[in-house]
């Protein structure tokens, strides 16, 4: 007997389509026959350069991206615009009438938000305002499913199991009530996402908008299956990969340091534990959440991560793989932690929703690190230009620029 699985195709609007996750998700959705619409103000391209970085792989222009997408994947509408501007989003949503909107269009770097007062205020303004524009654009449209990319860092590292729900029971002096899950973020960036989550929760309560609030851990990886032609990556389909101190996350950035023969950086004791997820698994999870929306008017919280690792363990995995692939072993430097965070702590977030939707992890960090190192190695001459900017630059405690920074 032959079973045919029918997946309804949808119109999906990706805000932040030019980014690491946005582009990778666009490829996936396009490949699966969904109609892909995207908007981006391209600011990450400029902001990465502001701090001495750039994508590890050269990034095609928007025009080139549109063309290569059409050639390999299918039709796409990729609009350059800023969602924080009045009416931009409302007008585009009214034109496209999407089934789902995935919101990545935010300043996504914790260090960038901690550089100084101006960067902190920019982060708050940009992130909160963009989400508020989205909320007002869809307030009368509960039929549109909003998937908001938040972060596991909204919770901080509490000494209790992190629930996967908007509310939790709170007891005080013999009385109890359901309150929003307490959060204690670790940077202005992470706090901006907490404020976003609260604003969305309030809009859900008042107007019944339909939301999946995704709390994702740090993402790693240089490719997804949608960028591949057999064993080879189609270079023009690659997504941006940041590797500098502000925009590169701990796995990708230390992988570049390994390629360049620099010591891997572990902040403080290195016991900081996070819920990591590969780019491939992130895209798979988002696809499942889009295909399985919550009920109209529901606010669904999803903790999106696959494996818990300490940053020390990650450095060891990278050192081992580098030695195996290239015959030298990078040193591991334990540097004074530039952040204010716990370096040893309990960490046990709940994760039920994705498994309940049939989600299965496809990539594991201990294996994926080999493809990351192999991909980056091809670009080592380009990466040498950014080596200085992979060093520690931003110190949470002084809250201003390193004097040699710019
Ligand atoms: N760390 C090191 N060495 C480094 C860089 C970082 O030990 O060279 C440590 C940090 O102290 C931190 C952990 O690694 O404890 C993670 O840092 P990160 O730079 O990989 O990630 P983070 O700044 O927390 O932010 C990243 C993304 C952000 C996303 C977040 C998910 O930039 O957009 O929201 O991961 S989470 O960490 O769960 O909040």
């Amino acid at each position: 007997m032959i079973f045919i699985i029918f997946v309804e195709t949808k119109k999906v609007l990706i805000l932040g389509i030019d980014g690491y996750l946005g582009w990778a998700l666009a490829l996936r959705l396009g490949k699966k026959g969904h109609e892909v619409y995207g908007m981006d103000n391209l600011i990450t391209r400029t902001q990465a350069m502001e701090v001495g970085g750039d994508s590890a792989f050269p990034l095609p222009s928007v025009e080139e991206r549109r063309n290569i997408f059409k050639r390999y994947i299918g039709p796409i509408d990729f609009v350059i615009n800023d969602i924080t501007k009045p009416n931009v989003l409302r007008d585009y949503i009214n034109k496209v009438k999407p089934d789902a909107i995935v919101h990545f269009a935010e300043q996504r770097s914790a260090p960038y938000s901690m550089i100084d007062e101006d960067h902190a205020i920019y982060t708050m303004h940009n992130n909160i305002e963009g989400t508020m524009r989205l909320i007002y654009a869809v307030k009368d449209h509960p039929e549109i499913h909003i998937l908001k990319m938040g972060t596991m860092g909204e919770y901080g590292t509490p000494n209790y199991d992190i629930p996967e729900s908007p509310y939790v029971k709170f007891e005080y002096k013999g009385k109890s009530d359901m309150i929003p899950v307490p959060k204690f973020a670790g940077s202005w960036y992470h706090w901006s996402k907490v404020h976003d989550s609260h604003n969305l929760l309030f809009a859900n309560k008042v107007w019944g908008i339909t939301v999946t609030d995704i709390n994702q851990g740090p993402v790693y990886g240089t490719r997804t299956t949608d960028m591949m032609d057999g064993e080879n990556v189609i270079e023009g389909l690659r997504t941006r990969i940041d590797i500098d101190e502000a925009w590169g996350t701990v796995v990708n950035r230390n992988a570049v340091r390994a390629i360049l023969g620099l010591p891997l950086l572990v902040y403080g004791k290195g016991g900081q534990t996070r819920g990591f997820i590969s780019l491939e698994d992130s895209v798979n999870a988002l696809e499942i959440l889009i295909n399985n929306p919550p009920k109209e008017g529901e606010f669904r919280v999803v903790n999106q991560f696959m494996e818990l690792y300490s940053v020390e363990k990650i450095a060891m995995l990278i050192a081992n793989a580098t030695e195996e692939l290239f015959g030298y072993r990078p040193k591991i430097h334990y540097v004074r932690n530039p952040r204010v965070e716990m370096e040893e702590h309990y960490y046990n977030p709940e994760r039920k929703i994705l498994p309940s939707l049939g989600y299965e992890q496809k990539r594991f960090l201990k294996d994926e690190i080999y493809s990351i190192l192999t991909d980056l190695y091809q670009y080592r001459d380009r990466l040498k230009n950014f080596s200085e900017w992979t060093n520690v630059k931003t110190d949470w405690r002084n809250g201003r620029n390193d004097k040699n920074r710019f």
Side-chain angles (χ1 to χ4, degrees):
M1 193 183 295
I2 299 172
F3 290 99
I4 298 174
I5 301 172
F6 177 73
V7 178
E8 185 195 347
T9 58
K10 293 179 189 276
K11 280 188 188 179
V12 185
L13 168 56
I14 302 174
L15 307 176
I17 193 171
D18 197 48
Y20 181 46
L21 296 173
W23 185 248
L25 181 64
L27 298 178
R28 168 60 50 83
L29 296 177
K31 269 209 161 170
K32 291 292 178 71
H34 297 290
E35 282 180 47
V36 181
Y37 299 82
M39 190 179 280
D40 204 298
N41 66 356
L42 310 185
I43 193 78
T44 307
R45 292 186 183 224
T46 326
Q47 286 171 337
M49 288 179 186
E50 178 195 335
V51 296
D54 198 348
S55 173
F57 311 126
L59 214 54
S61 68
V62 171
E63 197 45 40
E64 286 165 340
R65 279 199 144 171
R66 286 188 193 115
N67 289 338
I68 199 154
F69 193 99
K70 284 176 189 154
R71 182 164 152 216
Y72 285 101
I73 311 284
I76 185 170
D77 192 31
F78 182 153
V79 178
I80 302 171
N81 216 328
D82 183 347
I83 66 161
T84 66
K85 289 197 190 133
N87 296 322
V88 163
L89 208 41
R90 181 178 295 115
D91 291 350
Y92 192 61
I93 290 169
N94 285 342
K95 186 176 132 203
V96 170
K97 301 192 183 352
D99 299 301
I101 303 176
V102 188
H103 180 19
F104 298 122
E106 297 207 328
Q107 191 295 85
R108 60 170 161 84
S109 161
Y112 190 84
S113 76
M114 297 299 291
I115 291 176
D116 61 10
E117 181 178 337
D118 285 348
H119 288 80
I121 288 171
Y122 163 75
T123 302
M124 287 292 166
H125 170 78
N126 182 71
N127 292 2
I128 296 171
E129 203 169 308
T131 300
M132 288 300 289
R133 295 282 182 208
L134 174 62
I135 286 171
Y136 271 86
V138 300
K139 77 185 241 305
D140 300 320
H141 295 284
E143 75 283 4
I144 302 179
H145 174 201
I146 307 301
L147 296 98
K148 168 67 171 66
M149 184 48 75
T151 162
M152 287 302 295
E154 291 179 34
Y155 300 113
T157 50
N159 195 32
Y160 54 79
D161 295 351
I162 297 170
E164 197 181 29
S165 65
Y167 299 104
V168 69
K169 190 172 173 193
F170 172 73
E171 288 181 5
Y172 185 62
K173 293 189 176 174
K175 307 268 280 175
S176 71
D177 207 343
M178 296 302 283
I179 59 163
V181 173
K183 298 185 169 181
F184 209 108
S187 73
W188 293 124
Y189 151 74
H190 287 96
W191 275 111
S192 75
K193 298 259 179 176
V194 174
H195 304 322
D196 280 341
S197 290
H198 286 159
N199 291 345
L200 286 159
L201 189 58
F202 179 66
N204 164 265
K205 188 174 170 182
V206 177
W207 296 310
I209 64 170
T210 307
V211 180
T212 299
D213 190 19
I214 303 165
N215 297 307
Q216 185 167 253
V219 185
Y220 61 87
T222 46
R223 50 165 93 164
T224 62
T225 43
D226 308 304
M227 298 166 197
M228 311 288 292
D229 179 13
E231 291 293 296
N232 302 315
V233 179
I234 302 164
E235 291 299 316
L237 288 182
R238 281 193 188 278
T239 193
R240 70 169 297 124
I241 307 284
D242 289 284
I243 36 95
D244 63 84
E245 182 252 2
W247 298 91
T249 52
V250 64
V251 178
N252 294 347
R253 177 171 156 223
N254 272 325
V256 167
R257 291 183 65 87
I259 297 291
L260 297 177
L262 299 168
L264 311 185
L265 298 178
V266 170
Y267 292 173
K269 293 180 187 150
Q272 302 92 305
T273 300
R274 300 287 181 269
F276 289 86
I277 181 167
S278 68
L279 185 60
E280 178 81 25
D281 280 306
S282 174
V283 167
N284 288 345
L286 288 162
E287 185 189 356
I288 286 197
L289 294 172
I290 291 167
N291 286 333
N292 298 276
K295 289 198 284 295
E296 228 176 79
E298 187 182 336
F299 190 97
R300 173 173 71 173
V301 172
V302 174
N303 291 343
Q304 186 160 297
F305 65 94
M306 295 297 144
E307 297 173 284
L308 299 183
Y309 272 112
S310 71
V311 294
E312 181 184 46
K313 177 75 181 163
I314 282 171
M316 286 174 182
L317 288 178
I318 295 174
N320 293 344
T322 308
E323 190 170 21
E324 209 176 302
L325 283 173
F326 309 121
Y328 63 89
R329 186 174 182 80
K331 292 199 176 78
I332 297 178
H333 279 186
Y334 293 80
V335 297
R336 176 183 167 273
N337 197 336
R339 304 186 180 199
V340 177
E341 62 184 359
M342 288 213 268
E343 293 168 10
E344 286 170 324
H345 54 88
Y346 180 76
Y347 199 60
N348 191 23
E350 265 180 14
R351 195 172 56 107
K352 296 178 301 199
I353 308 262
L354 282 167
S356 78
L357 297 174
Y359 187 84
E360 281 173 24
Q361 183 178 354
K362 295 279 169 24
R363 297 280 189 276
F364 294 81
L365 181 56
K366 67 177 178 33
D367 307 320
E368 196 72 353
I369 193 63
Y370 291 89
S371 72
I372 296 174
L373 289 167
T374 311
D375 280 352
L376 291 170
Y377 192 77
Q378 292 172 43
Y379 287 88
R380 64 191 178 286
D381 288 337
R382 175 179 166 84
L383 295 173
K384 281 178 196 155
N385 300 320
F386 312 118
S387 64
E388 157 61 13
W389 303 99
T390 65
N391 283 316
V392 178
K393 298 283 176 189
T394 314
D395 191 325
W396 264 224
R397 288 171 187 83
N398 68 23
R400 60 177 184 273
N401 296 354
D402 180 291
K403 65 180 185 311
N404 298 318
R405 183 166 183 144
F406 297 111

